[in-house]
Amino acid sequence: MEIRTLIRSANRIGDFFESMPDKTEAAEGIANHIQKNWEPRMRRQLLDFLAEHPEGRSGENQLHPFVTETLIKQRQRLMPAAAA
């Protein structure tokens, strides 16, 4: 999947959860949604993008700052297990 599509999807999730008054709960909502609803390869691709671009942007591709922060904090949890 193209990274811009993944970023757009992640940003929509971030927009939804950012409106919550409790930011800890909002960050948990973002992480839960991505963990439960995204295929492992999609999560890996998004996390690889972030590892390569820690600020969450490259050219026109830009992650929402709240999503970037959440992904950095939850990286271990969101990274798919290595294939055996």
Side-chain angles (χ1 to χ4, degrees):
M1 182 172 281
E2 289 189 31
I3 191 63
R4 72 174 163 231
T5 303
L6 294 175
I7 289 172
R8 187 173 42 241
S9 296
N11 287 344
R12 286 183 186 152
I13 294 164
D15 288 341
F16 175 81
F17 284 103
E18 186 184 38
S19 67
M20 297 175 74
D22 183 335
K23 295 307 175 196
T24 301
E25 186 179 350
E28 184 65 22
I30 291 169
N32 277 338
H33 183 87
I34 290 174
Q35 183 180 24
K36 292 179 181 180
N37 297 296
W38 285 33
E39 294 179 8
R41 63 185 167 156
M42 293 166 63
R43 287 185 277 140
R44 183 177 310 279
Q45 190 174 356
L46 186 61
L47 293 170
D48 286 349
F49 170 83
L50 193 54
E52 204 172 308
H53 309 282
E55 70 288 344
R57 65 180 170 273
S58 173
E60 293 182 12
N61 298 315
Q62 183 169 349
L63 277 167
H64 187 290
F66 190 52
V67 173
T68 301
E69 179 184 338
T70 299
L71 293 174
I72 289 170
K73 288 180 179 176
Q74 297 291 329
R75 180 177 179 77
Q76 186 72 25
R77 169 185 170 186
L78 296 173
M79 183 58 80

mmCIF file of all heavy atoms in Angstrom, residues 17-45:
data_model
loop_
_atom_site.group_PDB
_atom_site.id
_atom_site.type_symbol
_atom_site.label_atom_id
_atom_site.label_comp_id
_atom_site.label_asym_id
_atom_site.label_seq_id
_atom_site.Cartn_x
_atom_site.Cartn_y
_atom_site.Cartn_z
ATOM 1 N N PHE A 17 -9.781 10.845 17.237
ATOM 2 C CA PHE A 17 -9.460 10.663 18.648
ATOM 3 C C PHE A 17 -8.921 11.934 19.308
ATOM 4 O O PHE A 17 -9.078 12.112 20.519
ATOM 5 C CB PHE A 17 -8.479 9.505 18.838
ATOM 6 C CG PHE A 17 -9.135 8.170 18.712
ATOM 7 C CD1 PHE A 17 -8.987 7.406 17.564
ATOM 8 C CD2 PHE A 17 -9.918 7.656 19.729
ATOM 9 C CE1 PHE A 17 -9.598 6.160 17.437
ATOM 10 C CE2 PHE A 17 -10.538 6.419 19.622
ATOM 11 C CZ PHE A 17 -10.382 5.674 18.476
ATOM 12 N N GLU A 18 -8.315 12.833 18.553
ATOM 13 C CA GLU A 18 -7.761 14.048 19.135
ATOM 14 C C GLU A 18 -8.847 14.927 19.768
ATOM 15 O O GLU A 18 -8.582 15.684 20.693
ATOM 16 C CB GLU A 18 -6.993 14.854 18.097
ATOM 17 C CG GLU A 18 -6.297 16.052 18.725
ATOM 18 C CD GLU A 18 -5.605 16.930 17.722
ATOM 19 O OE1 GLU A 18 -6.141 17.119 16.619
ATOM 20 O OE2 GLU A 18 -4.530 17.435 18.057
ATOM 21 N N SER A 19 -10.069 14.804 19.288
ATOM 22 C CA SER A 19 -11.147 15.634 19.834
ATOM 23 C C SER A 19 -11.555 15.208 21.246
ATOM 24 O O SER A 19 -12.285 15.932 21.924
ATOM 25 C CB SER A 19 -12.358 15.593 18.899
ATOM 26 O OG SER A 19 -12.913 14.290 18.889
ATOM 27 N N MET A 20 -11.072 14.062 21.708
ATOM 28 C CA MET A 20 -11.395 13.602 23.055
ATOM 29 C C MET A 20 -10.684 14.485 24.086
ATOM 30 O O MET A 20 -9.530 14.861 23.878
ATOM 31 C CB MET A 20 -10.972 12.144 23.238
ATOM 32 C CG MET A 20 -11.698 11.181 22.330
ATOM 33 S SD MET A 20 -11.072 9.492 22.477
ATOM 34 C CE MET A 20 -11.770 9.041 24.064
ATOM 35 N N PRO A 21 -11.360 14.808 25.188
ATOM 36 C CA PRO A 21 -10.727 15.677 26.187
ATOM 37 C C PRO A 21 -9.560 15.013 26.926
ATOM 38 O O PRO A 21 -8.615 15.695 27.316
ATOM 39 C CB PRO A 21 -11.863 16.013 27.161
ATOM 40 C CG PRO A 21 -12.928 15.014 26.903
ATOM 41 C CD PRO A 21 -12.739 14.503 25.502
ATOM 42 N N ASP A 22 -9.602 13.715 27.106
ATOM 43 C CA ASP A 22 -8.536 12.988 27.804
ATOM 44 C C ASP A 22 -7.517 12.507 26.763
ATOM 45 O O ASP A 22 -7.768 11.556 26.012
ATOM 46 C CB ASP A 22 -9.126 11.810 28.573
ATOM 47 C CG ASP A 22 -8.100 11.040 29.392
ATOM 48 O OD1 ASP A 22 -6.897 11.064 29.045
ATOM 49 O OD2 ASP A 22 -8.516 10.399 30.371
ATOM 50 N N LYS A 23 -6.356 13.171 26.714
ATOM 51 C CA LYS A 23 -5.358 12.864 25.679
ATOM 52 C C LYS A 23 -4.740 11.476 25.853
ATOM 53 O O LYS A 23 -4.366 10.843 24.867
ATOM 54 C CB LYS A 23 -4.262 13.943 25.644
ATOM 55 C CG LYS A 23 -4.802 15.298 25.233
ATOM 56 C CD LYS A 23 -5.563 15.208 23.913
ATOM 57 C CE LYS A 23 -6.210 16.520 23.552
ATOM 58 N NZ LYS A 23 -7.228 16.407 22.519
ATOM 59 N N THR A 24 -4.649 10.998 27.080
ATOM 60 C CA THR A 24 -4.139 9.645 27.300
ATOM 61 C C THR A 24 -5.099 8.626 26.715
ATOM 62 O O THR A 24 -4.683 7.685 26.038
ATOM 63 C CB THR A 24 -3.935 9.386 28.812
ATOM 64 O OG1 THR A 24 -3.020 10.358 29.315
ATOM 65 C CG2 THR A 24 -3.399 7.985 29.064
ATOM 66 N N GLU A 25 -6.376 8.835 26.941
ATOM 67 C CA GLU A 25 -7.400 7.950 26.380
ATOM 68 C C GLU A 25 -7.428 8.048 24.856
ATOM 69 O O GLU A 25 -7.598 7.042 24.161
ATOM 70 C CB GLU A 25 -8.764 8.324 26.962
ATOM 71 C CG GLU A 25 -9.877 7.393 26.568
ATOM 72 C CD GLU A 25 -11.221 7.777 27.182
ATOM 73 O OE1 GLU A 25 -11.265 8.648 28.067
ATOM 74 O OE2 GLU A 25 -12.222 7.195 26.752
ATOM 75 N N ALA A 26 -7.222 9.257 24.344
ATOM 76 C CA ALA A 26 -7.208 9.458 22.895
ATOM 77 C C ALA A 26 -6.035 8.715 22.250
ATOM 78 O O ALA A 26 -6.200 8.039 21.226
ATOM 79 C CB ALA A 26 -7.136 10.946 22.579
ATOM 80 N N ALA A 27 -4.851 8.826 22.856
ATOM 81 C CA ALA A 27 -3.675 8.127 22.325
ATOM 82 C C ALA A 27 -3.896 6.619 22.365
ATOM 83 O O ALA A 27 -3.533 5.900 21.424
ATOM 84 C CB ALA A 27 -2.425 8.515 23.112
ATOM 85 N N GLU A 28 -4.493 6.138 23.445
ATOM 86 C CA GLU A 28 -4.794 4.707 23.555
ATOM 87 C C GLU A 28 -5.772 4.288 22.462
ATOM 88 O O GLU A 28 -5.656 3.206 21.881
ATOM 89 C CB GLU A 28 -5.367 4.409 24.945
ATOM 90 C CG GLU A 28 -5.624 2.955 25.206
ATOM 91 C CD GLU A 28 -4.361 2.098 25.224
ATOM 92 O OE1 GLU A 28 -3.262 2.629 25.441
ATOM 93 O OE2 GLU A 28 -4.487 0.882 25.019
ATOM 94 N N GLY A 29 -6.733 5.147 22.156
ATOM 95 C CA GLY A 29 -7.695 4.855 21.087
ATOM 96 C C GLY A 29 -7.025 4.734 19.731
ATOM 97 O O GLY A 29 -7.343 3.838 18.946
ATOM 98 N N ILE A 30 -6.084 5.622 19.453
ATOM 99 C CA ILE A 30 -5.340 5.558 18.190
ATOM 100 C C ILE A 30 -4.569 4.243 18.109
ATOM 101 O O ILE A 30 -4.653 3.520 17.111
ATOM 102 C CB ILE A 30 -4.375 6.754 18.059
ATOM 103 C CG1 ILE A 30 -5.152 8.054 17.881
ATOM 104 C CG2 ILE A 30 -3.402 6.545 16.888
ATOM 105 C CD1 ILE A 30 -4.291 9.302 17.998
ATOM 106 N N ALA A 31 -3.818 3.939 19.154
ATOM 107 C CA ALA A 31 -2.998 2.717 19.163
ATOM 108 C C ALA A 31 -3.874 1.470 19.055
ATOM 109 O O ALA A 31 -3.560 0.555 18.282
ATOM 110 C CB ALA A 31 -2.146 2.668 20.426
ATOM 111 N N ASN A 32 -4.962 1.426 19.808
ATOM 112 C CA ASN A 32 -5.868 0.274 19.746
ATOM 113 C C ASN A 32 -6.432 0.083 18.349
ATOM 114 O O ASN A 32 -6.489 -1.034 17.839
ATOM 115 C CB ASN A 32 -7.027 0.424 20.739
ATOM 116 C CG ASN A 32 -6.663 0.002 22.128
ATOM 117 O OD1 ASN A 32 -5.730 -0.761 22.346
ATOM 118 N ND2 ASN A 32 -7.400 0.522 23.093
ATOM 119 N N HIS A 33 -6.882 1.185 17.749
ATOM 120 C CA HIS A 33 -7.485 1.078 16.424
ATOM 121 C C HIS A 33 -6.487 0.535 15.400
ATOM 122 O O HIS A 33 -6.807 -0.377 14.633
ATOM 123 C CB HIS A 33 -8.014 2.439 15.964
ATOM 124 C CG HIS A 33 -8.699 2.372 14.643
ATOM 125 N ND1 HIS A 33 -10.040 2.070 14.528
ATOM 126 C CD2 HIS A 33 -8.233 2.506 13.381
ATOM 127 C CE1 HIS A 33 -10.356 2.044 13.241
ATOM 128 N NE2 HIS A 33 -9.279 2.302 12.526
ATOM 129 N N ILE A 34 -5.286 1.091 15.409
ATOM 130 C CA ILE A 34 -4.278 0.646 14.441
ATOM 131 C C ILE A 34 -3.870 -0.801 14.713
ATOM 132 O O ILE A 34 -3.751 -1.605 13.789
ATOM 133 C CB ILE A 34 -3.078 1.606 14.445
ATOM 134 C CG1 ILE A 34 -3.514 2.952 13.832
ATOM 135 C CG2 ILE A 34 -1.894 1.013 13.682
ATOM 136 C CD1 ILE A 34 -2.477 4.045 13.903
ATOM 137 N N GLN A 35 -3.699 -1.148 15.974
ATOM 138 C CA GLN A 35 -3.295 -2.519 16.318
ATOM 139 C C GLN A 35 -4.361 -3.536 15.911
ATOM 140 O O GLN A 35 -4.040 -4.603 15.379
ATOM 141 C CB GLN A 35 -3.016 -2.616 17.808
ATOM 142 C CG GLN A 35 -2.520 -3.988 18.232
ATOM 143 C CD GLN A 35 -2.243 -4.058 19.717
ATOM 144 O OE1 GLN A 35 -2.803 -3.293 20.503
ATOM 145 N NE2 GLN A 35 -1.364 -4.961 20.108
ATOM 146 N N LYS A 36 -5.604 -3.231 16.154
ATOM 147 C CA LYS A 36 -6.684 -4.195 15.908
ATOM 148 C C LYS A 36 -7.180 -4.228 14.471
ATOM 149 O O LYS A 36 -7.670 -5.263 14.011
ATOM 150 C CB LYS A 36 -7.866 -3.891 16.831
ATOM 151 C CG LYS A 36 -7.575 -4.161 18.278
ATOM 152 C CD LYS A 36 -8.757 -3.824 19.153
ATOM 153 C CE LYS A 36 -8.431 -4.083 20.618
ATOM 154 N NZ LYS A 36 -9.574 -3.769 21.478
ATOM 155 N N ASN A 37 -7.068 -3.116 13.753
ATOM 156 C CA ASN A 37 -7.708 -3.023 12.446
ATOM 157 C C ASN A 37 -6.762 -2.970 11.255
ATOM 158 O O ASN A 37 -7.218 -3.084 10.121
ATOM 159 C CB ASN A 37 -8.634 -1.806 12.413
ATOM 160 C CG ASN A 37 -9.753 -1.937 13.410
ATOM 161 O OD1 ASN A 37 -10.588 -2.823 13.308
ATOM 162 N ND2 ASN A 37 -9.765 -1.061 14.399
ATOM 163 N N TRP A 38 -5.486 -2.774 11.501
ATOM 164 C CA TRP A 38 -4.544 -2.698 10.392
ATOM 165 C C TRP A 38 -3.795 -4.015 10.265
ATOM 166 O O TRP A 38 -3.386 -4.607 11.261
ATOM 167 C CB TRP A 38 -3.545 -1.575 10.623
ATOM 168 C CG TRP A 38 -4.102 -0.198 10.396
ATOM 169 C CD1 TRP A 38 -5.365 0.227 10.622
ATOM 170 C CD2 TRP A 38 -3.380 0.930 9.914
ATOM 171 N NE1 TRP A 38 -5.479 1.548 10.322
ATOM 172 C CE2 TRP A 38 -4.271 2.010 9.881
ATOM 173 C CE3 TRP A 38 -2.063 1.127 9.531
ATOM 174 C CZ2 TRP A 38 -3.881 3.273 9.458
ATOM 175 C CZ3 TRP A 38 -1.679 2.388 9.115
ATOM 176 C CH2 TRP A 38 -2.585 3.454 9.074
ATOM 177 N N GLU A 39 -3.572 -4.437 9.041
ATOM 178 C CA GLU A 39 -2.771 -5.638 8.792
ATOM 179 C C GLU A 39 -1.345 -5.397 9.293
ATOM 180 O O GLU A 39 -0.868 -4.252 9.269
ATOM 181 C CB GLU A 39 -2.686 -5.921 7.290
ATOM 182 C CG GLU A 39 -3.978 -6.303 6.632
ATOM 183 C CD GLU A 39 -3.772 -6.544 5.140
ATOM 184 O OE1 GLU A 39 -2.622 -6.565 4.659
ATOM 185 O OE2 GLU A 39 -4.791 -6.697 4.462
ATOM 186 N N PRO A 40 -0.666 -6.445 9.706
ATOM 187 C CA PRO A 40 0.716 -6.283 10.175
ATOM 188 C C PRO A 40 1.619 -5.554 9.171
ATOM 189 O O PRO A 40 2.413 -4.705 9.561
ATOM 190 C CB PRO A 40 1.185 -7.721 10.400
ATOM 191 C CG PRO A 40 -0.071 -8.461 10.750
ATOM 192 C CD PRO A 40 -1.134 -7.824 9.886
ATOM 193 N N ARG A 41 1.477 -5.847 7.902
ATOM 194 C CA ARG A 41 2.363 -5.187 6.920
ATOM 195 C C ARG A 41 2.068 -3.693 6.813
ATOM 196 O O ARG A 41 2.963 -2.893 6.547
ATOM 197 C CB ARG A 41 2.279 -5.865 5.556
ATOM 198 C CG ARG A 41 0.926 -5.786 4.918
ATOM 199 C CD ARG A 41 0.863 -6.569 3.631
ATOM 200 N NE ARG A 41 -0.522 -6.696 3.246
ATOM 201 C CZ ARG A 41 -0.926 -6.890 2.036
ATOM 202 N NH1 ARG A 41 -0.048 -7.011 1.071
ATOM 203 N NH2 ARG A 41 -2.199 -6.992 1.760
ATOM 204 N N MET A 42 0.818 -3.301 7.036
ATOM 205 C CA MET A 42 0.473 -1.874 7.027
ATOM 206 C C MET A 42 1.103 -1.175 8.234
ATOM 207 O O MET A 42 1.671 -0.086 8.100
ATOM 208 C CB MET A 42 -1.053 -1.695 7.043
ATOM 209 C CG MET A 42 -1.739 -2.173 5.785
ATOM 210 S SD MET A 42 -3.534 -2.337 5.982
ATOM 211 C CE MET A 42 -4.026 -0.665 6.330
ATOM 212 N N ARG A 43 1.018 -1.809 9.395
ATOM 213 C CA ARG A 43 1.626 -1.237 10.599
ATOM 214 C C ARG A 43 3.132 -1.134 10.436
ATOM 215 O O ARG A 43 3.733 -0.110 10.764
ATOM 216 C CB ARG A 43 1.293 -2.084 11.832
ATOM 217 C CG ARG A 43 -0.145 -1.919 12.263
ATOM 218 C CD ARG A 43 -0.420 -2.661 13.549
ATOM 219 N NE ARG A 43 -0.687 -4.058 13.260
ATOM 220 C CZ ARG A 43 -0.253 -5.080 13.972
ATOM 221 N NH1 ARG A 43 0.479 -4.898 15.052
ATOM 222 N NH2 ARG A 43 -0.556 -6.310 13.621
ATOM 223 N N ARG A 44 3.740 -2.186 9.918
ATOM 224 C CA ARG A 44 5.189 -2.183 9.715
ATOM 225 C C ARG A 44 5.595 -1.065 8.745
ATOM 226 O O ARG A 44 6.566 -0.338 8.989
ATOM 227 C CB ARG A 44 5.673 -3.523 9.191
ATOM 228 C CG ARG A 44 7.195 -3.584 9.027
ATOM 229 C CD ARG A 44 7.675 -4.943 8.570
ATOM 230 N NE ARG A 44 7.149 -6.050 9.343
ATOM 231 C CZ ARG A 44 7.625 -6.453 10.521
ATOM 232 N NH1 ARG A 44 8.629 -5.813 11.066
ATOM 233 N NH2 ARG A 44 7.096 -7.486 11.136
ATOM 234 N N GLN A 45 4.864 -0.902 7.686
ATOM 235 C CA GLN A 45 5.197 0.123 6.696
ATOM 236 C C GLN A 45 5.100 1.526 7.312
ATOM 237 O O GLN A 45 5.975 2.364 7.092
ATOM 238 C CB GLN A 45 4.272 -0.002 5.485
ATOM 239 C CG GLN A 45 4.684 0.859 4.313
ATOM 240 C CD GLN A 45 3.826 0.612 3.080
ATOM 241 O OE1 GLN A 45 2.964 -0.256 3.065
ATOM 242 N NE2 GLN A 45 4.056 1.400 2.061
#
